[in-house]
Amino acid sequence: MPTTIFKPIHSNNPDPGVTVEGTHTPAELVRQSGVWIDTAGSAILAQEEYELEPCDAPLWLVAEEGSCIFGHKDLSLTLNKGECVIVPAGTVGCTLQKAQDARILWLVLAGPLMENFMRQMNAFNRLPARQGMLPTQVVLIRQIVQVVVRHMDTADASFQLQQLLWALLAAHCGQSVANSATLSYEIARVVDAMRAGSYKDSFSLAEMAAISRMPVETFRKRFTAELGIPPLGYLQFLKMERAKALLRSGVGVRQTGVEIGMPDPYHFSKQFKHVVGMSPTAYLKHVGGKSMSEDKAGE
């Protein structure tokens, strides 16, 4: 996928506009599913006319704001806000006209089952064609772009992206799909900060609010509304999930507590039991972890 798919034509100004894009490296389980999001991006176009670079997979183009005219040979399609065109892989000679100030979203899929997915969407064509697009699907594609760009070239958001991808298909098939499947930027900043330290850091509510750049009470309400759980409860949950993974991999009880920011073994064991329903050592026996001779400090 080129750095930008938009090449200005018939203009002395080479500026294509404001463009952002990201590439997704799928997690192994997502790769095994056979289809995943490869590249996604957004552009506010600055010129009147563009030529589109050909892609090695079908390209979804969505007019998020404004309008433009998509052209290919004898085909001329006006893309108004919320409308989409699918460009088959390798198609050359595609243009956008009257495109100045239009905001365009684009999406490219990959994987051995990509063609099957496109056929289920009635989107696998020999030639460029308009694609039916619900308002919900436009929102989902916008969220896909935001997630891919924020997690550029990583697998950090693979499962979230897969959820959004299958929500596109679900919406196409008439199933009820919520508009909001991603976090707001402010709340995502806090969640990313938690993840950055592998949940070893113990943020206070005030520290989380400062990261989000919101007043404490506003942040608490927003966080709870978006994730369905208060911020400190969410952090505690993630700490215990990491603890479970560490225990199962053979890390000792005491060291596991240190790794999630709970160096006091008694406190760690108490919190673990409160969330998981059993002590760390009992959990190891229950799941058959690698280390069955853990110290029982604090239990």
Side-chain angles (χ1 to χ4, degrees):
M1 187 77 180
T3 301
T4 175
I5 60 173
F6 305 103
K7 292 177 58 179
I9 54 178
H10 305 143
S11 172
N12 293 326
N13 184 355
D15 178 21
V18 180
T19 303
V20 294
E21 75 170 34
T23 301
H24 168 222
T25 302
E28 182 57 30
L29 280 177
V30 169
R31 189 177 293 276
Q32 290 175 16
S33 75
V35 59
W36 56 87
I37 295 161
D38 179 72
T39 307
S42 173
I44 302 175
L45 302 179
Q47 306 294 333
E48 282 290 314
E49 296 183 85
Y50 291 84
E51 181 181 1
L52 299 182
E53 291 281 2
C55 297
D56 55 7
L59 173 69
W60 304 49
L61 284 177
V62 180
E64 183 184 21
E65 295 289 344
S67 64
C68 60
I69 298 174
F70 174 88
H72 178 254
K73 296 184 178 178
D74 296 332
L75 178 68
S76 180
L77 293 174
T78 298
L79 289 181
N80 294 313
K81 179 179 178 179
E83 295 182 333
C84 173
V85 63
I86 303 292
V87 183
T91 304
V92 297
C94 296
T95 61
L96 294 180
Q97 299 176 353
K98 297 185 178 180
Q100 189 171 19
D101 297 327
R103 184 191 297 269
I104 304 295
L105 303 172
W106 74 90
L107 175 68
V108 175
L109 306 183
L113 297 182
M114 179 270 294
E115 180 178 331
N116 291 12
F117 182 93
M118 297 286 288
R119 290 187 185 279
Q120 288 294 315
M121 293 283 297
N122 292 325
F124 194 80
N125 314 309
R126 292 187 302 106
L127 296 171
R130 192 187 302 276
Q131 171 71 11
M133 187 65 49
L134 296 168
T136 300
Q137 291 174 300
V138 177
V139 173
L140 290 168
I141 291 175
R142 183 191 310 129
Q143 293 173 345
I144 286 170
V145 172
Q146 292 170 351
V147 174
V148 169
V149 170
R150 189 156 59 92
H151 297 282
M152 173 71 172
D153 282 331
T154 75
D156 288 351
S158 272
F159 302 112
Q160 183 182 14
L161 286 170
Q162 204 70 350
Q163 177 189 11
L164 292 168
L165 178 60
W166 288 103
L168 277 178
L169 180 58
H172 178 78
C173 295
Q175 298 179 28
S176 177
V177 175
N179 278 339
S180 181
T182 60
L183 300 177
S184 65
Y185 175 73
E186 295 84 1
I187 302 304
R189 282 170 57 91
V190 178
V191 173
D192 286 348
M194 293 179 186
R195 184 196 297 116
S198 298
Y199 312 113
K200 187 172 185 177
D201 301 317
S202 296
F203 295 99
S204 68
L205 191 61
E207 288 170 332
M208 293 182 190
I211 293 171
S212 74
R213 298 176 183 172
M214 287 188 282
V216 172
E217 189 58 19
T218 302
F219 163 72
R220 186 190 65 78
K221 291 179 179 179
R222 278 274 300 278
F223 191 103
T224 304
E226 292 192 30
L227 281 99
I229 183 173
L232 293 178
Y234 179 76
L235 179 59
Q236 187 82 329
F237 168 82
L238 292 173
K239 282 178 176 286
M240 293 308 130
E241 286 301 304
R242 173 152 173 77
K244 286 157 66 175
L246 290 168
L247 290 168
R248 293 180 72 139
S249 70
V251 178
V253 173
R254 188 183 296 272
Q255 185 58 33
T256 293
V258 172
E259 291 298 322
I260 65 165
M262 295 183 181
D264 181 342
Y266 176 79
H267 176 64
F268 165 56
S269 180
K270 182 179 178 181
Q271 294 301 314
F272 188 94
K273 187 172 183 178
H274 175 72
V275 174
V276 181
M278 61 185 75
S279 69
T281 298
Y283 174 78
L284 273 173
K285 293 177 180 177
H286 182 73
V287 301
K290 291 182 179 180
S291 177
M292 298 300 294
S293 58
E294 301 297 329
D295 59 293
K296 297 185 179 182
E299 299 199 28

